């Protein structure tokens, strides 16, 4: 049976990787899966026309209730949806988008949430039938390009230090768009770098939003200790993770960060902004460290904050530095979160269970 699968397919993004992985599950079960970029279509009518011109599609799927799911509202075959994260965390705040997403969810035969929290949020903010929402964490698999030269990687990203091998690189993995908030840490990290020039922040990911990308580039170009690397293949990115001191997340919203889980799988410590999507997979001081709690902020040993016009709103950023310093000084803590993170991914993010879930759901969808 043939299935249409819509997702936002910007190269080298988590959405693209997830969509390709799920497509492989569908095809390994004997079906044909046509994966298309949601950006190719202007309206639900365009997708309905595609299905009418190219029979026989037996069903459809989409990642993200609004960006892709809305395009399935006019089709005559059954479909399922996968929550993207920003749809439930951000788009529900916009009344017009929420109304469309409710239509999608009501018409869908099933929906998949990556976490229990995401399912709960959908049930709170959207009209839905709870029994049609399944929780299936993302499956994680890492593959390292062993040929990468770390020194050359850093120099190609603008790092000019004579002792690049001695640097402690904090790697912030994200596509350049506002919801990922890559500039959140820049000023405070730069001040920390001025105190100890071994500490550098590397932002790496594809240029998704051109206007925001230009803003990020301008800020990074005038900020010491912070660098911007071009997006790389999954294998090269995983190799970079293994060389860095820690993987960082500073997003405003996450469904489930594959970069965080990949870092855990590669035994790299994680420092993540304390938002629901991150807290669902990072247990503080157990599988990683969370920051962004102003009431728990620390500024000890961080005198240069005054040079960047420090104010109370930066407390959570000082907390990031405090947690980073703990990773630097507490070997037992570092070893514990690395060990537990690896175990967590192995126990909760199995490719086998993910494959079985999607194959079961698609079989049910296409047998209707």
């Amino acid at each position: 049976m043939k299935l249409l699968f819509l997702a936002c397919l910007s190269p080298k993004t988590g959405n693209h990787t997830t969509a390709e992985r799920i497509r492989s599950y569908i095809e390994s079960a004997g079906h044909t899966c046509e994966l298309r970029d949601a950006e190719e279509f202007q309206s639900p009518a365009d997708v309905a026309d595609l299905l009418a011109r190219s029979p026989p599609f037996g069903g459809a799927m989409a990642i993200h209730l609004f960006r892709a799911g809305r395009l399935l509202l006019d089709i005559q075959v059954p479909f399922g949806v996968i929550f993207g994260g920003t749809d439930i965390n951000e788009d529900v705040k916009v009344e017009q988008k929420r109304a469309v997403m409710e239509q999608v969810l009501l018409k869908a035969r099933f929906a998949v949430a990556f976490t229990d929290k995401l399912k709960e949020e959908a049930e709170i903010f959207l009209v839905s039938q709870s029994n049609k929402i399944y929780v299936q964490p993302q499956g994680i698999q890492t593959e390292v390009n062993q040929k990468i030269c770390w020194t050359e990687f850093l120099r190609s990203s603008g790092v000019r230090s004579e002792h690049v091998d001695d640097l402690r690189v904090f790697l912030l993995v994200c596509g350049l768009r506002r919801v990922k908030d890559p500039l959140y840490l820049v000023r405070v990290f730069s001040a920390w770098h001025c105190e100890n020039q071994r500490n550098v922040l590397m932002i790496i990911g594809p240029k998704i939003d051109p206007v925001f990308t230009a803003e990020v580039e301008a800020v990074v170009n005038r900020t010491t200790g912070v660098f911007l690397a071009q997006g790389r293949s999954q294998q090269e990115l995983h190799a970079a993770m293994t060389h860095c001191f820690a993987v960082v997340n500073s997003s405003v919203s996450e469904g489930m960060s594959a970069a965080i889980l990949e870092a855990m799988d590669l035994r790299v410590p994680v420092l993540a902004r304390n938002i629901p999507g991150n807290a669902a997979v990072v247990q503080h001081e157990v599988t990683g460290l969370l920051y962004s709690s102003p009431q728990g902020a620390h500024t000890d040993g961080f005198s240069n904050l005054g040079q960047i016009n420090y104010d109370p709103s930066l407390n959570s950023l000082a907390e990031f530095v405090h947690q980073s310093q703990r990773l630097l000084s507490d070997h037992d803590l570092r070893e514990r979160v690395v060990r537990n993170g690896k175990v967590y991914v192995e126990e909760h993010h199995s490719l086998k269970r993910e494959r079985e879930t999607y194959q079961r759901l698609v079989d049910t969808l296409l047998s209707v």
Side-chain angles (χ1 to χ4, degrees):
M1 190 69 75
K2 188 175 182 180
L3 181 136
L4 176 66
F5 191 7
L6 297 183
C8 297
L9 300 179
S10 298
K12 301 173 185 175
T13 59
N15 255 3
H16 198 161
T17 301
T18 299
E20 289 285 5
R21 190 173 66 251
I22 294 172
R23 175 172 70 169
S24 73
Y25 299 155
I26 296 168
E27 295 191 332
S28 67
H31 304 296
T32 300
C33 181
E34 185 171 324
L35 179 60
R36 299 285 292 269
D37 191 343
E39 298 298 322
E40 295 178 27
F41 304 95
Q42 298 298 315
S43 70
D46 292 341
V47 176
D49 288 344
L50 170 67
L51 268 63
R53 292 198 310 270
S54 306
F57 281 96
M61 282 176 56
I63 298 179
H64 201 285
L65 274 180
F66 185 75
R67 292 180 187 170
R70 65 183 178 85
L71 297 169
L72 302 180
L73 285 173
D74 288 353
I75 66 175
Q76 301 303 311
V77 295
F79 67 85
V81 291
I82 302 166
F83 299 152
T86 54
D87 43 8
I88 306 302
N89 293 329
E90 301 297 325
D91 291 339
V92 292
K93 301 171 186 176
V94 181
E95 185 176 352
Q96 187 176 16
K97 290 183 177 180
R98 184 173 65 250
V100 172
M101 291 192 294
E102 284 181 344
Q103 292 180 52
V104 173
L105 196 52
L106 287 169
K107 189 173 180 181
R109 294 294 175 88
F110 68 80
V112 178
F114 294 144
T115 65
D116 290 318
K117 181 66 174 176
L118 211 58
K119 178 181 178 181
E120 291 168 10
E121 293 293 308
E123 291 168 344
I124 291 171
F125 293 108
L126 297 172
V127 174
S128 65
Q129 297 165 283
S130 180
N131 62 356
K132 73 163 58 172
I133 303 177
Y134 299 82
V135 176
Q136 174 55 58
Q138 291 209 71
I140 293 298
Q141 182 177 37
T142 54
E143 184 179 354
V144 174
N145 180 351
Q146 302 292 349
K147 296 181 180 180
I148 191 173
C149 175
W150 182 235
T151 300
E152 179 55 36
F153 173 87
L154 292 176
R155 287 179 175 157
S156 69
S157 303
V159 180
R160 298 288 178 255
S161 170
E162 294 181 6
H163 306 287
V164 292
D165 292 334
D166 294 330
L167 295 176
R168 288 186 290 248
V169 178
F170 291 74
L171 195 67
L172 199 169
V173 181
C174 68
L176 298 185
R177 52 193 180 112
R178 294 190 186 278
V179 72
K180 298 298 183 179
D181 207 4
L183 297 179
Y184 183 63
L185 299 172
V186 165
R187 289 192 297 162
V188 168
F189 201 102
S190 182
W192 189 34
H193 168 79
C194 290
E195 289 201 341
N196 188 329
Q197 295 190 4
R198 290 184 62 192
N199 302 323
V200 299
L201 177 65
M202 177 74 69
I203 303 170
I204 181 169
K207 302 175 180 180
I208 297 176
D209 180 336
V211 174
F212 184 60
T213 294
E215 183 181 329
V216 172
E217 289 172 339
V219 171
V220 169
N221 286 340
R222 62 175 184 263
T223 305
T224 184
V226 181
F227 303 89
L228 184 62
Q230 293 183 348
R232 303 294 183 103
S233 69
Q234 281 293 101
Q235 293 82 3
E236 290 174 317
L237 178 60
H238 293 162
M241 286 182 179
T242 64
H243 287 282
C244 74
F245 179 78
V247 166
V248 177
N249 178 287
S250 61
S251 297
V252 173
S253 171
E254 287 282 2
M256 177 174 283
S257 169
I260 286 177
L261 296 170
E262 288 161 357
M264 289 180 179
D265 190 53
L266 292 166
R267 296 183 171 89
V268 179
V270 170
L271 283 156
R273 192 170 177 175
N274 192 1
I275 57 173
N278 289 342
V281 296
V282 179
Q283 186 178 353
H284 185 56
E285 298 182 344
V286 178
T287 58
L289 295 177
L290 296 170
Y291 66 93
S292 192
S293 177
Q295 63 271 28
H298 295 258
T299 58
D300 299 342
F302 198 36
S303 57
N304 275 354
L305 277 174
Q307 298 177 11
I308 56 168
N309 301 317
Y310 175 69
D311 63 64
S313 68
L314 294 177
N315 279 353
S316 58
L317 306 182
E319 177 70 1
F320 166 80
V321 173
H322 171 69
Q323 299 298 346
S324 299
Q325 289 172 328
R326 293 181 66 202
L327 272 184
L328 289 168
S329 61
D330 190 337
H331 179 75
D332 290 341
L333 172 64
R334 182 181 175 89
E335 288 300 309
R336 182 170 73 250
V337 299
V338 165
R339 180 176 62 253
N340 291 340
K342 176 67 173 178
V343 170
Y344 171 79
V345 170
E346 289 177 342
E347 291 182 351
H348 298 280
H349 296 275
S350 159
L351 287 176
K352 180 176 182 292
R353 284 196 292 273
E354 183 186 48
R355 180 177 66 250
E356 290 171 349
T357 295
Y358 283 108
Q359 288 179 341
R360 183 177 67 255
L361 291 172
V362 168
D363 283 346
T364 302
L365 186 73
L366 296 180
S367 65
V368 173

